[in-house]
Amino acid sequence: MAFQLTVNGRSSTVDVPADMPLLWVIRDVLKLKGTKYGCGIGQCGACTVHLNGKAVRSCQTPVSAVAKAPITTLEGLSADGTHPVQLAWLDIDVPQCGYCQAGQMMSAAALLAKTPKPTDQDINSAMNGNLCRCGTYIRIRQAIHKASEIATTSKLKKPSEVAVGGAQE
């Protein structure tokens, strides 16, 4: 069945089964490898993408459910790595093994789009369910605070300007 998708600001038609998880459409059909397969049951967060600006688990989202909603993957945060979350992740040196980090960053970007200056409690609530086997949770929290600072003090695109539609320049 053919589905019209808008991923990272680009329109694509994909011919896949209606029940195919969005994760596999993104990775295998559209060849965007930033979104990771973790558990396959929506519990770990590695597959997190934005759907209409909201963080969702793509492994549990059938392609038929996304309709014409804009989808943003890690690649859609910024074409050149200048999204505040990307900059903060590098500055704080968050990743250890790095496998969960795409999902962590997507959840963080969705949080900052909604709550530009989050408290630790806001961060804990938003990041709950994004698992990190290496235990980099303290650095993740530091990076989210740093991304908030970057977004509010720079001329770079703010998280709310890219998280909803994933527009690229």
Side-chain angles (χ1 to χ4, degrees):
M1 179 171 244
F3 295 94
Q4 184 70 34
L5 302 178
T6 302
V7 179
N8 300 331
R10 295 193 171 110
S11 183
S12 300
T13 301
V14 296
D15 190 13
V16 297
D19 62 347
M20 179 181 263
L22 181 59
L23 170 65
W24 300 123
V25 174
I26 290 168
R27 288 186 58 80
D28 294 345
V29 178
L30 299 177
K31 306 295 185 199
L32 296 170
K33 302 298 185 181
T35 305
K36 303 297 183 200
Y37 172 79
C39 65
I41 58 172
Q43 298 293 310
C44 73
C47 68
T48 302
V49 298
H50 297 171
L51 182 62
N52 269 333
K54 182 180 178 205
V56 299
R57 305 298 196 242
S58 64
C59 73
Q60 293 295 294
T61 305
V63 69
S64 60
V66 302
K68 293 182 173 138
I71 301 160
T72 305
T73 68
L74 183 66
E75 295 91 343
L77 287 183
S78 79
D80 59 1
T82 58
H83 186 282
V85 168
Q86 293 168 316
L87 294 172
W89 246 247
L90 288 172
D91 188 48
I92 302 295
D93 196 23
V94 174
Q96 191 162 318
C97 84
Y99 197 80
C100 70
Q101 295 304 312
Q104 300 279 1
M105 293 170 74
M106 294 305 292
S107 291
L111 166 64
L112 292 171
K114 185 176 122 192
T115 309
K117 292 185 176 270
T119 64
D120 282 348
Q121 183 57 42
D122 294 332
I123 293 170
N124 292 344
S125 294
M127 301 305 289
N128 187 30
N130 281 83
L131 304 179
C132 175
R133 291 185 212 178
C134 300
T136 64
Y137 299 112
I138 292 171
R139 292 195 311 256
I140 289 167
R141 182 182 297 126
Q142 290 171 337
I144 292 170
H145 285 299
K146 178 75 172 189
S148 171
E149 178 185 313
I150 292 168
T152 57
T153 60
S154 77
K155 293 184 189 301
L156 296 174
K157 287 183 177 177
K158 306 257 187 298
S160 61
E161 294 174 319
V162 296
V164 177
Q168 296 181 12
E169 297 183 55

